[in-house]
Amino acid sequence: MIRPDPDCRLCGLCNGRTQVVYPDGNPGKGIVFVGEGPGEKEDIQGRPFVGKSGGILEEMMHRHGFSRDDVMITNTVKCRPPDNRDPFPDEMAACRPFLESELAEARLVVGLGKSAIRDIMGYVGPMADIVNVPVTIEVAGREVVFIPTYHPTATIYNKKSRSELNETMRVVSQWIRPPMRFGGFMLDMDGTIYKGGAPIPGAREFISFLREQRIPFVFLTNNSSHARSFYSEKLGRLGFDASVDDILTSTTATIRFLISERFGKRVYAVATPDVAAEMENAGIELTDEDPDIVVLTFDTTITYEKINKAYRFLKGGAELIATHPDDLCPTEDSYDIDIGPFIRMFEQMCQTQAVVIGKPNRLMLEMAAREMGVPPSETVMVGDRLYTDIAMAARAGTQSILVLSGETDRAMLRESDTVPTAVADSVADIPSMVLGARRGRFRSPL
């Protein structure tokens, strides 16, 4: 890497600088952030992005799980332009050889702001037309991916710019992380494999692919309105190759929790008849009188009588255990109110705190990994909800793929602090990820 001399006199910027601002960070990762001219604090400290804009940048990097140690940060010019103006063309030309040497080993270059984008890719049009649209540039005879985005200072008063820069950092995080490992899949159902009564396009082929590749999988659902047999029958009607043993519901996880952690306790179940029967068949003692525990499920047969019974038992000292925390359950064309509002109602009215078993509790993920015989670190959670599916994987330290076929869209992802390992439009995109990883070429879609 070529660096300018500390007493560089190649252009007029030398007359007003305090010191030359050299690159900062780790050039070995092959990811370079290029900003405009250094600011006042950068000029004083001799490091790029250490002022207010640097604080914004570091906060966004941290949100997505990386830091300055994972990238190299530099500027188009190495001396502060007077009054923080944009560098002039002759000043950029003088510093161009140094910038090109800094980009020589880059795999990915991120242009922060109009000046950097103009200098690197020659673009002078509206920023909104090109932000986060990857292009290929040539550096030292090599093709390199270039992502144009907003300068951090542009995000201070502009929510749209902040969302776009956050998305840039999400994409960068995919380049930094090691290749994904596809030892086994934990698959959400509602919004991921099917929505309401219709399969997601390409989902059946995805399951067939996993069977052909001998990759183990488990269907996970927080929906505790039915027994496991209902879901296996539903999957069969929709054309999926799946059995009861391939399914783990939040009810299943709750039953196992009750047996292992609350053995012998008497339970009042706010549940549909088939879910209550599943609990009873597993050896849970159900009662309508003086229970030790109230188990709250997604009871689509709930009545005022059931609500009042649960209330009185909880006020009398019974423990509240909920199968999952979801506020909404997806249907074919809309959403139904799920269990979350009832949890909050009972917690407030009874001055209690629910034990919540299903996603995002890592318990379900660990159960699924054991069933597949795969270490959790080798598994991938696939789901459409950031606050349950992806949050559970994050808590357990495992991999995740967010699919955009259900509840979450890219705008919601940009605003979220929960970051998936990868993002796909639907499960139909996952086979190419798996095959690409086996060929050593997988990278999350941009």
Side-chain angles (χ1 to χ4, degrees), residues 217 292 426:
F217 63 89
D292 302 298
S426 75

Side-chain angles (χ1 to χ4, degrees), residues 188 220-224 248-257 295-298 320-326 338-339 343 354-367 381 385 387-393 395:
D188 175 55
L220 298 186
T221 181
N222 265 358
N223 193 327
S224 57
L248 181 61
T249 71
S250 61
T251 303
T252 312
T254 302
I255 289 170
R256 294 177 183 178
F257 177 84
V295 172
L296 180 62
T297 75
F298 181 23
L320 176 60
I321 295 179
T323 53
H324 65 284
D326 295 17
D338 206 316
I339 190 175
I343 295 174
V355 175
V356 181
I357 302 299
K359 299 178 289 185
N361 191 326
R362 60 186 293 171
L363 180 64
M364 280 188 75
L365 187 151
E366 291 166 349
M367 286 181 183
M381 178 67 216
R385 291 183 173 187
Y387 59 91
T388 54
D389 303 315
I390 308 307
M392 177 177 66
R395 290 180 184 183

